[in-house]
Amino acid sequence: RTCTVGARLFDGDVNTTVTICCRQPPVEVCPKGEVCIDDATCPGILTDGTGQIDPRRPPKSCILDSYTSQYGICCDPSPPVPQHCGVRNPEGIAVSGYKLIDRIQNPSLLPANEARFAEFPWQAMIYRDLGPVKPGHKTEAQFVCGATLIGVRHLLTAAHCVKNYTVHELEVRLGEWEINNQVEPLAYVDHRPSEIVLHPEYKSGPEFNDIAVIVLNRPVVRDHHINTACLPDNPADVYAGRRCIATGWGKDAFFGNYQHVMKKVDVPIVSHAECQRMLRNTRLGNYFRLHYNFLCAGGEINKDACTGDGGGPLVCARADGRYVLAGVTSWGIGCGQAEVPGVYAKVTSYLEWIHEIMSRPAVGNKPTIPSQVKPQTLPLPPPAAAAQIRSTEGASKFKLHTTNDSGKH
């Protein structure tokens, strides 16, 4: 407020000159990037004491409600970019200065299984850059698999997704939400891998140790829509009795369609013994033995990961509300069948191997190679019949279009 001298009050027929406090004149329009809101709801205002000891410039006043003459403050409502792992945005994010499409603005218009923009900022996409179809045309790309950002230069995916590719054939996209559309308020970012490291004991067919690390050629810059999932702290955690979340752009049914908007599904964790029992009731047969480095989730009708979700995350909430990467989507028998769980590579089984790769110094481009670290494993017989891996391999090709730059602007 400011102090104004000479304000004149009329009390009957007496003119009185007094000194009164008046609020600074409000602005009609807030500066670009800010909106007029109640000061109690502005992020960063009077939350941690910062600025209360030393003077600072007060925010601009603005007219919040012209009918009641209620004042607000000009505020950038965007929350600070998280600098730690596992921060989910269950309602998406609000970015000042952008008008999002209706279904982002109004959650009631969203399908129940549709992720909000930036809800799962660790979800990544692996794709092949096919170049322009014709000279002068837009670059065309082919979707390959999902992946999970676990560090500023590292992602986890399924080994079956990347086993047949070199670093020169693939790109990684972060911050994507709706493929083939420009509605997002923040741009996706494309990165090239410098190294693809398959687990040294990955076995195609039964998909034992179906996990791989992708090393990027440059560090990722965290943003509201790009951040890491936490790795498990406890190697013994099996997440028994928990409901966790799988995400991706995979098919909505085994004979269904790939999705243009990222989808999510909550699924119950199934114990190893119960999962093996259920899978023996499928075409895998009574002699099927589930490798102990697999984690199972699902078994509820129409709730499952599916073809195209391979390599993507299965995340579980920790006690502090942040999300930890429990599994890497691997394979299943069909999709979304009752009493038939989906199967994931169990991340806790590979923590030592993952941390060893993440601790290596940055290197130049390398081909697809196995790691030299070999955790002890127990060889098991392959399944009686092949299960479906959950990459796009062998399926109709799902294509996305890109421009020749690194993101949406």
Side-chain angles (χ1 to χ4, degrees):
R1 297 176 184 273
T2 57
C3 192
T4 305
V5 179
R8 188 173 297 279
L9 303 179
F10 294 91
D11 182 10
D13 58 353
V14 179
N15 292 344
T16 304
T17 300
V18 296
T19 299
I20 62 172
C21 289
C22 304
R23 188 159 185 160
Q24 292 176 338
V27 296
E28 293 288 338
V29 179
C30 288
K32 185 177 180 181
E34 297 183 356
V35 295
C36 187
I37 63 176
D38 185 273
D39 55 6
T41 63
C42 182
I45 298 296
L46 305 180
T47 59
D48 61 2
T50 301
Q52 299 309 297
I53 297 174
D54 299 315
R56 63 178 179 179
R57 181 182 65 83
K60 289 182 178 293
S61 298
C62 54
I63 300 174
L64 186 62
D65 188 330
S66 59
Y67 182 75
T68 62
S69 298
Q70 180 182 358
Y71 292 103
I73 60 171
C74 293
C75 174
D76 181 352
S78 301
V81 174
Q83 295 301 310
H84 46 258
C85 64
V87 179
R88 178 187 174 193
N89 302 300
E91 300 303 324
I93 61 169
V95 181
S96 60
Y98 291 90
K99 180 175 175 60
L100 304 187
I101 56 176
D102 288 343
R103 71 173 177 278
I104 304 178
Q105 290 179 313
N106 187 349
S108 66
L109 300 180
L110 282 164
N113 67 335
E114 186 170 295
R116 273 63 167 172
F117 173 68
E119 183 174 358
F120 302 99
W122 45 80
Q123 172 77 57
M125 172 191 295
I126 303 171
Y127 72 92
R128 293 178 63 198
D129 187 346
L130 303 178
V133 179
K134 297 179 180 178
H137 284 224
K138 286 185 177 181
T139 295
E140 190 172 84
Q142 185 180 80
F143 175 62
V144 175
C145 257
T148 306
L149 187 67
I150 57 169
V152 293
R153 293 183 60 246
H154 298 88
L155 301 98
L156 280 184
T157 190
H160 78 254
C161 289
V162 293
K163 64 183 180 182
N164 295 322
Y165 297 104
T166 69
V167 293
H168 306 291
E169 297 176 277
L170 298 178
E171 292 200 40
V172 174
R173 177 167 296 178
L174 299 166
E176 182 62 283
W177 179 67
E178 180 165 4
I179 300 170
N180 291 339
N181 212 323
Q182 303 288 328
V183 299
E184 294 100 321
L186 297 175
Y188 61 69
V189 179
D190 287 341
H191 287 257
R192 287 196 177 274
S194 63
E195 188 176 5
I196 300 172
V197 187
L198 304 183
H199 190 273
E201 295 185 1
Y202 166 65
K203 186 173 183 179
S204 181
E207 304 307 321
F208 297 161
N209 305 304
D210 188 16
I211 195 166
V213 176
I214 295 177
V215 185
L216 300 178
N217 65 352
R218 58 189 171 93
V220 169
V221 178
R222 297 177 193 265
D223 205 336
H224 299 292
H225 64 320
I226 300 173
N227 201 1
T228 56
C230 298
L231 287 172
D233 294 321
N234 182 6
D237 197 342
V238 293
Y239 311 101
R242 308 265 289 278
R243 294 193 74 90
C244 300
I245 302 173
T247 54
W249 293 272
K251 288 186 175 183
D252 54 3
F254 187 67
F255 294 105
N257 300 309
Y258 291 104
Q259 304 300 292
H260 286 270
V261 177
M262 187 192 303
K263 296 298 190 292
K264 61 183 177 182
V265 60
D266 71 294
V267 286
I269 298 296
V270 179
S271 72
H272 187 276
E274 183 66 5
C275 183
Q276 180 172 274
R277 182 194 67 79
M278 290 179 173
L279 292 176
R280 284 180 174 180
N281 291 329
T282 70
R283 64 174 179 267
L284 295 175
N286 292 332
Y287 298 102
F288 172 71
R289 294 175 63 191
L290 182 67
H291 195 287
Y292 60 88
N293 284 340
F294 283 130
L295 176 72
C296 296
E300 297 177 342
I301 193 165
N302 295 329
K303 299 188 80 172
D304 198 1
C306 200
T307 306
D309 290 320
L314 175 72
V315 293
C316 304
R318 299 193 316 198
D320 62 0
R322 288 154 65 183
Y323 280 76
V324 62
L325 182 63
V328 175
T329 306
S330 182
W331 59 271
I333 302 296
C335 300
Q337 299 181 59
E339 299 290 306
V340 184
V343 182
Y344 302 78
K346 184 167 63 177
V347 174
T348 53
S349 296
Y350 305 100
L351 289 177
E352 182 180 353
W353 174 74
I354 293 168
H355 287 304
E356 186 276 329
I357 295 171
M358 294 180 71
S359 68
R360 296 176 184 175
V363 296
N365 289 347
K366 288 188 176 182
T368 303
I369 59 171
S371 167
Q372 298 306 307
V373 177
K374 295 191 174 184
Q376 184 178 2
T377 59
L378 174 67
L380 293 176
Q388 288 96 14
I389 56 174
R390 288 188 161 169
S391 72
T392 56
E393 182 178 313
S396 58
K397 300 305 180 184
F398 179 37
K399 295 182 179 180
L400 61 143
H401 295 277
T402 68
T403 59
N404 290 321
D405 53 34
S406 62
K408 296 174 180 174
H409 300 285

